[in-house]
Amino acid sequence: MKAKINQVFEEMGKVVIGQERLINRLLIGLFTGGHVLLEGVPGLAKTLTINTLAKILDLNFHRIQFTPDLLPADLVGTMIYNQKSNDFEVKKGPIFANLILADEVNRAPAKVQSALLEAMQEKQVTIGDNTFPIDRPFLVLATQNPVEQEGTFPLPEAQVDRFMLKVHVDYLNKEQELEVMRKMSNMDFNYKPKPILNKDDISEIKGEINKIAISETLERYIIELIFATRKPSDYGLKEEARYIQFGASPRASINLNLSAKVLAYLDDRDYVLPEDIKEIAPDVLNHRMMLNYEAEADGITTMQVIDTILRKVAIGR
């Protein structure tokens, strides 16, 4: 399986330049069944990366453009009257796919967010009086623009918490952007990635990840990190205690454990290192912690608080 995963990175690299970390996080979501929220300004290849990954996976894929006038029925489906049978029948919506690209997810109103939330959490959809399971694997990859707020609806905390990871997508460096410019300036460039992984492959990879070992010391380290977001004063983080309004939920510890195992697997190890936990912790925690107005006034960001927690909470405390 490791050879196939290497092929995925190679095939992605033929289309997407300089986003290895983003691809890594998308694979973590894929192999654990955890949804991923991507945040970054337009033009950073968020949608292109997801579209390319969808072509490499032999899975059913739908792209949904979220807009303020979107209705829940546009997402999950509706009941349609059939004149021939003189009865109502179900017309399923685009949410019935293995891989969903929810583009600009924060542009949809609350009712649509609620419908998406049921699908993300319960892996099922209710249409009329009937409930329909969604085929596995089921993965929502959502994007949002952090800058433009006009015509957007803030995602409810309950929904944000359902995302396993929130990944901040940043600008490329100069050499990477030069390579992108040269490649995309070629109007004949139309590379079509070949399918590499199918459902059976993903199921087999999940089984291998389940065998990744994590010591009790590191399990307790994860718990200490999560509790440091809730009761920072107990960990000598008095300055940070002034800024944290809510700490991370129990889903954070579960997802931090799972993500660290996938990082170890992708690094061709059968055991988790402390570095795995520290590397993935910001992506697991940054959307699960809420800072207060005092933090905003002092220019303190969630990432800064997480960085301090990672530096000050010791392993084997």
Side-chain angles (χ1 to χ4, degrees):
M1 280 300 130
K2 199 64 174 64
K4 283 195 172 184
I5 293 174
N6 290 335
Q7 280 184 281
V8 169
F9 279 99
E10 289 173 12
E11 202 70 7
M12 292 288 292
K14 294 175 183 177
V15 180
V16 181
I17 306 300
Q19 294 290 5
E20 289 80 8
R21 177 178 172 273
L22 171 56
I23 297 167
N24 178 283
R25 295 330 189 232
L26 293 179
L27 290 180
I28 289 175
L30 176 67
F31 297 150
T32 59
H35 311 294
V36 182
L37 177 62
L38 309 181
E39 185 173 86
V41 298
L44 297 183
K46 300 185 297 295
T47 303
L48 175 64
T49 303
I50 296 172
N51 274 322
T52 305
L53 179 63
K55 292 172 184 175
I56 291 173
L57 303 174
D58 189 15
L59 300 175
N60 190 7
F61 169 70
H62 282 154
R63 177 183 182 273
I64 307 171
Q65 183 65 51
F66 280 58
T67 55
D69 61 347
L70 198 71
L71 298 174
D74 298 326
L75 182 69
V76 302
T78 188
M79 305 288 290
I80 293 180
Y81 182 71
N82 188 326
Q83 289 184 331
K84 290 183 179 180
S85 62
N86 196 30
D87 198 4
F88 285 92
E89 60 184 34
V90 174
K91 179 176 175 59
K92 293 182 178 180
I95 197 68
F96 287 91
N98 299 118
L99 189 62
I100 298 293
L101 166 55
D103 221 351
E104 295 188 286
V105 67
N106 56 331
R107 289 196 175 278
K111 287 185 178 180
V112 177
Q113 299 293 354
S114 178
L116 180 63
L117 179 62
E118 181 192 6
M120 289 172 62
Q121 181 62 24
E122 307 298 336
K123 307 292 193 298
Q124 65 181 28
V125 167
T126 301
I127 304 175
D129 296 329
N130 301 312
T131 300
F132 302 91
I134 298 176
D135 189 30
R136 308 290 180 89
F138 175 66
L139 182 64
V140 174
L141 304 175
T143 70
Q144 67 177 14
N145 176 359
V147 178
E148 188 179 357
Q149 299 301 324
E150 186 177 346
T152 64
F153 301 83
L155 299 181
E157 283 77 8
Q159 182 173 352
V160 172
D161 194 42
R162 261 67 173 191
F163 285 101
M164 182 180 199
L165 306 173
K166 181 181 179 183
V167 183
H168 291 275
V169 186
D170 209 347
Y171 290 107
L172 304 176
N173 62 37
K174 292 179 183 178
E175 293 304 316
Q176 291 168 338
E177 189 149 345
L178 179 63
E179 188 177 349
V180 169
M181 182 182 70
R182 286 171 175 166
K183 180 173 285 190
M184 295 307 172
S185 295
N186 179 4
M187 290 183 284
D188 293 327
F189 178 76
N190 189 28
Y191 182 76
K192 295 181 179 179
K194 58 184 179 182
I196 296 173
L197 292 178
N198 56 34
K199 289 183 183 180
D200 292 335
D201 293 329
I202 294 170
S203 180
E204 184 177 338
I205 289 170
K206 286 182 177 180
E208 292 177 356
I209 290 170
N210 278 335
K211 298 175 184 176
I212 300 292
I214 179 169
S215 67
E216 184 178 348
T217 301
L218 291 184
E219 287 179 331
R220 292 190 178 278
Y221 175 55
I222 290 173
I223 298 301
E224 296 294 346
L225 288 175
I226 304 307
F227 270 72
T229 70
R230 301 173 191 168
K231 298 180 179 181
S233 297
D234 294 352
Y235 295 80
L237 301 166
K238 294 182 180 179
E239 190 71 18
E240 286 66 30
R242 292 172 45 214
Y243 299 130
I244 298 176
Q245 185 171 355
F246 295 111
S249 72
R251 286 193 184 92
S253 54
I254 298 168
N255 291 333
L256 190 48
N257 187 314
L258 284 171
S259 301
K261 287 182 177 180
V262 181
L263 279 183
Y265 179 79
L266 294 176
D267 200 31
D268 209 15
R269 282 181 280 109
D270 60 359
Y271 55 91
V272 174
L273 293 174
E275 288 74 20
D276 297 321
I277 296 170
K278 292 178 179 179
E279 179 184 338
I280 199 64
D283 298 316
V284 174
L285 296 176
N286 76 91
H287 57 302
R288 292 187 163 92
M289 293 173 57
M290 184 178 293
L291 304 187
N292 55 29
Y293 290 111
E294 189 175 352
E296 186 176 351
D298 290 349
I300 301 297
T301 66
T302 308
M303 285 299 197
Q304 289 174 320
V305 174
I306 294 171
D307 182 61
T308 303
I309 290 173
L310 290 173
R311 283 189 288 107
K312 293 193 174 183
V313 176
I315 299 173
R317 181 180 184 272

